[in-house]
Amino acid sequence: GILVMASRTATPKRATNASLKCGGSLNALSLSPDGRNVVVVGREVLQIVGISDGKLVEKQNLRVGKINLNYSSVDVKWHPQEAQSHTIASAATNGAVVIWNINVQGAQKQERIINEHTRLVNSICWHPEHAYTLLSGSQDGTMKLWDIRDPTHHTVTFDGKSDSVRHVEFSPHFSNYFAAGFDNGTILIWDIRKHSAYDRKITAHQGPVFCIDWHPSDRALLASGGRDKFIQIWDLNSSNMKPKTTIQTVSSVSHLRWRPYHPQHIAFSALSDSKIHVWDYKKPYMPYLSFAGHSDQVTDICWDRHSPNIMLRFLEIFKLNFQDEFSS
């Protein structure tokens, strides 16, 4: 996998690259709260990489000791709160949710293994306010809310009565609400205080919803991307639940992320396109910016919330890259 950092201003001036061999393909990444480290995961990769002065340095390999499927991951989330910055959650390929404490002395950093989903867990997300609450979404069609301090039971199960859950994400504005995207093309909005039924249903895509992202500043906006090659922007204040904006892409949309402090910009990656595109959703006819130069599928993207000109992205080849394509 290649991790690329790209910073953008109006005038391109320089391009610098640094790379780090990771020893396997990569599935997901997550930044530490201070933005100085990133955790990267894949079937054969589980490590922390430091980001400093334009360099990438492996800081900690978590795949140590007796290796099993708990070390092979499809998703990972670093805890967003500084006070919990020692905590990382990963979704393993065997359906387990694993909690890691990187401050534990010794090689073994696993703190808890949760095995209550019956199929693969596709997505996990930390609660924006409750430090010990984690949400997971699985191919078994359910979402589970965990108190990671409780060694035996999940807190609540939400049943979408549908196909696989592809993506779950808490609202950054209304912390009791989360959105979930499903294989049948729907998005369900849930209130965690009322787990027996969803709050709202959106018929979003023709085919699976692969990704969703709440707008960082506009409380009413939610973006979704699907196999149908569309990005849809939803205004949840609207009563008709038709998309506010539709962006047609050239391939199935695998990941998308709103750009912090640039409320009209959204970045996305596609399943059969090696480029990253940034769109101004109010001008949905052509990309505002595209990053090229890669030869394989991008498997995850993330903006650095400390610096809105920095974007991280992965590709599924055996390298980790840093790229600064534009000066600040």
Side-chain angles (χ1 to χ4, degrees):
I2 297 182
L3 170 64
V4 181
M5 294 182 72
S7 60
R8 162 71 176 171
T9 59
T11 306
K13 293 182 180 179
R14 60 190 174 92
T16 60
N17 294 275
S19 62
L20 179 69
K21 295 252 183 193
C22 289
S25 61
L26 304 176
N27 291 329
L29 70 115
S30 184
L31 274 174
S32 62
D34 62 9
R36 297 176 182 175
N37 299 285
V38 59
V39 57
V40 297
V41 299
R43 287 190 173 272
E44 299 176 345
V45 178
L46 182 62
Q47 67 185 57
I48 295 171
V49 175
I51 304 170
S52 178
D53 298 325
K55 297 179 181 179
L56 295 171
V57 181
E58 181 181 340
K59 297 183 71 173
Q60 199 167 19
N61 183 13
L62 301 180
R63 280 179 63 89
V64 294
K66 186 178 180 180
I67 304 300
N68 54 42
L69 288 177
N70 291 329
Y71 292 83
S72 299
S73 304
V74 295
D75 195 18
V76 66
K77 291 293 185 298
W78 207 309
H79 202 293
Q81 299 180 13
E82 190 66 44
Q84 300 294 325
S85 61
H86 58 280
T87 304
I88 294 170
S90 63
T93 56
N94 62 356
V97 175
V98 185
I99 309 299
W100 306 83
N101 185 341
I102 60 176
N103 283 350
V104 171
Q105 295 297 317
Q108 180 53 259
K109 307 295 183 182
Q110 287 185 8
E111 190 167 74
R112 182 182 172 193
I113 301 171
I114 303 168
N115 283 301
E116 291 203 28
H117 281 293
T118 59
R119 296 182 65 190
L120 177 72
V121 174
N122 286 317
S123 180
I124 52 178
C125 182
W126 290 104
H127 193 281
E129 295 179 359
H130 302 157
Y132 301 105
T133 301
L134 181 71
L135 179 68
S136 59
S138 169
Q139 285 186 197
D140 63 15
T142 68
M143 299 133 284
K144 294 182 184 290
L145 198 65
W146 311 93
D147 183 338
I148 64 169
R149 298 167 297 183
D150 183 341
T152 57
H153 300 293
H154 61 268
T155 307
V156 179
T157 295
F158 305 86
D159 189 351
K161 296 180 172 58
S162 181
D163 299 324
S164 301
V165 183
R166 288 286 187 160
H167 196 181
V168 292
E169 188 170 295
F170 276 108
S171 166
H173 312 292
F174 304 100
S175 60
N176 287 319
Y177 289 84
F178 72 87
F182 291 83
D183 258 4
N184 64 1
T186 63
I187 297 171
L188 299 182
I189 312 294
W190 295 80
D191 183 339
I192 61 174
R193 299 164 297 185
K194 303 173 184 178
H195 63 274
S196 59
Y198 55 81
D199 184 76
R200 184 176 301 189
K201 180 179 180 179
I202 304 170
T203 302
H205 293 272
Q206 297 293 321
V209 179
F210 286 151
C211 49
I212 52 179
D213 197 33
W214 294 91
H215 196 282
S217 58
D218 190 326
R219 299 182 176 194
L221 290 189
L222 178 71
S224 64
R227 191 172 65 185
D228 59 4
K229 304 180 183 180
F230 286 102
I231 296 171
Q232 308 282 24
I233 310 298
W234 306 96
D235 182 352
L236 300 184
N237 285 335
S238 174
S239 58
N240 62 22
M241 291 318 300
K242 293 182 179 179
K244 178 183 179 74
T245 302
T246 295
I247 300 171
Q248 185 170 6
T249 73
V250 298
S251 181
S252 299
V253 180
S254 56
H255 295 84
L256 50 76
R257 290 288 185 269
W258 290 103
R259 184 182 182 187
Y261 312 112
H262 294 262
Q264 295 179 200
H265 289 179
I266 188 166
F268 82 93
S269 62
L271 288 181
S272 61
D273 184 3
S274 60
K275 296 180 181 179
I276 297 288
H277 303 283
V278 180
W279 288 79
D280 181 331
Y281 85 88
K282 293 188 176 180
K283 301 174 182 178
Y285 306 107
M286 62 182 299
Y288 167 78
L289 172 69
S290 295
F291 295 100
H294 299 291
S295 58
D296 208 341
Q297 173 191 342
V298 178
T299 56
D300 205 357
I301 57 176
C302 179
W303 294 101
D304 183 350
R305 55 189 175 274
H306 299 281
S307 176
N309 291 328
I310 302 295
M311 183 174 65
L312 296 153
R313 62 192 191 262
F314 268 127
L315 282 95
E316 200 169 357
I317 59 178
F318 296 170
K319 229 195 257 186
L320 187 61
N321 253 8
F322 170 89
Q323 189 169 3
D324 183 358
E325 295 177 341
F326 301 90
S327 65
S328 299

